[in-house]
Amino acid sequence: QGTDLIVLNRTIFAAFGATATTVAANQFEAVRGTGATLGTTRVFYDRNNQGVFYDPDGSGPLAATRFATTPGVRLANTDFSIV
């Protein structure tokens, strides 16, 4: 964890806000076969299918979008940067 970075474009990942440069701990979740369970989650990693998803409203009604697959990698919020 923390060696490589997944860089997120703030225009596309707009739910992080115009000035964010990192994904806060409460904005990231690792789950198993579910979507985001917290309203503050913006990125989640599904350990079952190894997908990385963007969810602009966390556990709200908007659908999450899968934007990466990372087989064999354990992710944390520190693995993301916002530019």
Side-chain angles (χ1 to χ4, degrees), residues 8 16 21-28 42-43 77-78 80-82:
L8 308 176
F16 287 103
T21 58
T22 61
V23 174
N26 71 341
Q27 294 177 313
F28 176 83
R42 297 297 172 259
V43 173
N77 67 299
T78 55
F80 297 88
S81 177
I82 304 168

Side-chain angles (χ1 to χ4, degrees), residues 40-55:
T40 58
T41 299
R42 297 297 172 259
V43 173
F44 66 89
Y45 174 63
D46 186 335
R47 292 179 176 145
N48 285 358
N49 66 28
Q50 301 167 339
V52 184
F53 296 80
Y54 171 59
D55 195 332

Side-chain angles (χ1 to χ4, degrees), residues 1-81:
Q1 292 176 323
T3 302
D4 295 321
L5 284 177
I6 297 173
V7 179
L8 308 176
N9 181 305
R10 73 171 42 91
T11 302
I12 296 168
F13 296 85
F16 287 103
T19 60
T21 58
T22 61
V23 174
N26 71 341
Q27 294 177 313
F28 176 83
E29 244 187 304
V31 299
R32 289 196 182 274
T34 66
T37 63
L38 304 172
T40 58
T41 299
R42 297 297 172 259
V43 173
F44 66 89
Y45 174 63
D46 186 335
R47 292 179 176 145
N48 285 358
N49 66 28
Q50 301 167 339
V52 184
F53 296 80
Y54 171 59
D55 195 332
D57 68 342
S59 59
L62 297 178
T65 302
R66 185 179 190 151
F67 67 91
T69 301
T70 57
V73 176
R74 297 188 74 172
L75 293 176
N77 67 299
T78 55
D79 294 312
F80 297 88
S81 177

